[in-house]
Amino acid sequence: MVTEPEIRETPAPEGRPRAAVVRDALGVGVAVGLSGFAFGVTAAGAGISTLQACALSLLVFTGASQFALVGALAAGGNPFTAAAGAFFLGTRNAFYGLRLSQLLRLPRAVRPLAAHWVIDETTAVALAQPDRRSARLGFTVTGLTLYVLWNVTTLLGALGAEAIGDTKAWGLDAAGPAVFLALLAPMLKTATERAVAALALVLGLGFLPVLPAGVPVLIAALAAPAVLWMKGRRS
């Protein structure tokens, strides 16, 4: 008698243990959140009040854009130009949101709050997870930890800078750019990413002496499409 072959269901792969996801998310949140201190110091050195610096961290909450804004203001740039540079840097978060909306599928009620936490670090942690449950947990823990620490350290940095007086005399005006470069360097893993960074550096520094403060940042943003265009031509 011919019998049908036995069909065995393959169990679905289990997600990562919650403890591992929380550990990784906390590590990213704490490491990056502490750099809010550098933003607070940089903002104070640019002439921004403690209240304004804290409002930026609470309402903007995207480190690269915040550093770009206060950096342009510190260099004497036009506020509108500085804001434009910060805005264009922040538009990348909209593309992150498109990907995360499909991955996380959060309830409609919490989407507006979750959108405020869509930044480089939360996106990286969420996308590194093997399933939706772990992605949601990683996103939430990273976002909450980073948001709280970033805002607390922004306040401490701004208050500390006001207490010590002239930040340039202590060399603290270089803290913001140094922290930004330290966060960026580990992300440059491919030849394309390194080429974009190198070209952006050349463009930014090259136009710095001849254009108003804040404008070289916008020019440097052209490095990404330029490198991708050249890569497409070669392929």
Side-chain angles (χ1 to χ4, degrees):
M1 182 176 63
V2 179
T3 60
E4 295 183 358
E6 182 181 358
I7 300 176
R8 297 181 180 180
E9 294 185 359
T10 304
E14 296 182 358
R16 294 182 64 200
R18 291 175 60 90
V21 178
V22 172
R23 180 195 63 223
D24 293 346
L26 285 175
V28 173
V30 172
V32 180
L34 293 176
S35 62
F37 183 84
F39 170 72
V41 172
T42 305
I48 295 177
S49 69
T50 299
L51 180 60
Q52 291 171 327
C54 291
L56 280 171
S57 286
L58 283 168
L59 302 176
V60 178
F61 187 54
T62 173
S65 296
Q66 292 178 232
F67 277 119
L69 176 63
V70 299
L73 293 177
N78 184 288
F80 293 102
T81 303
F87 172 80
F88 282 113
L89 281 175
T91 54
R92 69 192 188 283
N93 294 338
F95 295 99
Y96 295 161
L98 294 175
R99 178 67 181 90
L100 289 180
S101 64
Q102 300 174 356
L103 173 64
L104 302 179
R105 297 189 181 278
L106 296 172
R108 291 183 179 273
V110 301
R111 288 178 188 175
L113 296 176
H116 194 49
W117 287 356
V118 176
I119 54 176
D120 298 334
E121 293 76 18
T122 54
T123 302
V125 172
L127 293 179
Q129 308 309 319
D131 61 277
R132 178 169 291 126
R133 179 188 67 86
S134 299
R136 284 181 173 182
L137 179 61
F139 176 87
T140 303
V141 174
T142 305
L144 178 61
T145 306
L146 184 49
Y147 189 71
V148 171
L149 275 179
W150 182 266
N151 282 281
V152 170
T153 54
T154 293
L155 174 61
L156 295 177
L159 292 176
E162 289 185 354
I164 65 175
D166 186 7
T167 55
K168 294 182 179 179
W170 296 81
L172 295 179
D173 55 315
V179 170
F180 183 73
L181 289 176
L183 294 174
L184 176 65
M187 301 180 185
L188 306 177
K189 297 179 180 179
T190 67
T192 301
E193 292 169 348
R194 290 191 289 269
V196 170
L199 181 57
L201 179 64
V202 171
L203 291 174
L205 293 179
F207 285 101
L208 187 61
V210 296
L211 293 179
V215 177
V217 175
L218 301 179
I219 300 296
L222 298 176
V227 170
L228 292 176
W229 179 78
M230 289 187 291
K231 184 179 179 181
R233 285 285 300 268
R234 292 178 180 177
S235 60

